Amino acid sequence: MSALKIYHEQNSAQPTFSSTQAADITRQLKGLGVRFEQWTTDATIKPGDTAESVLAAYRKDIDRLVAEEGYQTVDVVSLSRNAANKEELRKKFLSEHTHSEDEVRFFVGGEGLFTLHIGQQVCEVLCQRGDLISVPADTPHWFDMGPNPDFIAIRFFNNPEGWVAKYTGNAIADQFSRLEN
Ligand SMILES: [Fe+2]
């Protein structure tokens, strides 16, 4: 179940806010300038489906988001628990970093834990099937796909070449939750 927990950055033991209700999650994140949405589809998506059929299943919402935000490219990525490089990929985004572009992900299947560090607040967003999150450009954050990743996601980019991680050097991510799967 999708979930949001908000902590003060100096107290990872006790959240100040916690909810698994989509409307609450959306409202709280919106107040922090973060887009969170839940999308549905009538199409059935199976492992191994082509990127085209995955995009077609969510075409209406994709077109709306692109029109609102002006994203230039959209693609589909997936990772399975059998991937040989899963540990290396997991480590890459476990430390606090920023991007000069929005990081926009829609979970077609599987899950991932995005944690955003906004002012003195740390917001853990567990994204699962049907969830869209947009981490605004320049927002410190980290991402955990867990030790056994198994997801398929749609990504939106302003400029894929510009989408590189700039590490902040802050070790705060070590004090907050990891995803177990
Ligand atoms: Fe990132």
Side-chain angles (χ1 to χ4, degrees):
M1 190 180 285
S2 312
L4 170 65
K5 287 182 183 170
I6 301 178
Y7 300 84
H8 186 275
E9 63 183 359
Q10 288 174 347
N11 183 359
S12 59
Q14 186 64 46
T16 57
F17 174 88
S18 178
S19 179
T20 55
Q21 301 297 313
D24 291 340
I25 296 171
T26 300
R27 189 173 53 247
Q28 284 289 326
L29 289 175
K30 189 175 184 186
L32 295 166
V34 176
R35 182 193 289 265
F36 179 88
E37 298 177 359
Q38 288 192 325
W39 295 358
T40 56
T41 181
D42 295 330
T44 305
I45 295 167
K46 308 176 297 301
D49 278 355
T50 63
E52 288 70 25
S53 58
V54 171
L55 295 173
Y58 292 99
R59 180 51 63 192
K60 181 171 55 76
D61 283 308
I62 290 170
D63 288 350
R64 175 179 53 81
L65 186 61
V66 166
E68 284 178 25
E69 300 291 344
Y71 296 122
Q72 299 296 307
T73 58
V74 181
D75 71 7
V76 178
V77 290
S78 60
L79 192 66
S80 97
R81 62 193 66 220
N82 301 319
N85 59 345
K86 64 182 182 182
E87 267 181 55
E88 184 191 332
L89 289 172
R90 184 187 185 199
K91 271 191 202 145
K92 205 169 163 187
F93 298 116
L94 281 182
S95 303
E96 189 183 79
H97 63 274
T98 63
H99 309 280
S100 57
E101 308 285 330
D102 297 348
E103 179 168 345
V104 190
R105 299 290 182 269
F106 173 74
F107 285 82
V108 176
E111 61 180 5
L113 181 66
F114 274 94
T115 306
L116 285 66
H117 188 187
I118 300 173
Q120 293 185 313
Q121 299 192 92
V122 171
C123 308
E124 293 179 348
V125 192
L126 176 62
C127 294
Q128 297 186 320
R129 181 164 63 92
D131 293 344
L132 174 111
I133 188 169
S134 175
V135 179
D138 301 318
T139 301
H141 66 281
W142 54 95
F143 172 70
D144 193 3
M145 60 178 72
N148 295 296
D150 189 18
F151 67 84
I152 176 164
I154 299 174
R155 309 187 294 180
F156 298 76
F157 296 99
N158 294 114
N159 169 12
E161 284 89 49
W163 198 78
V164 290
K166 282 178 282 189
Y167 294 94
T168 64
N170 187 336
I172 187 169
D174 298 339
Q175 293 164 35
F176 286 87
S177 306
R178 293 305 188 202
L179 181 63
E180 301 303 329
N181 55 11

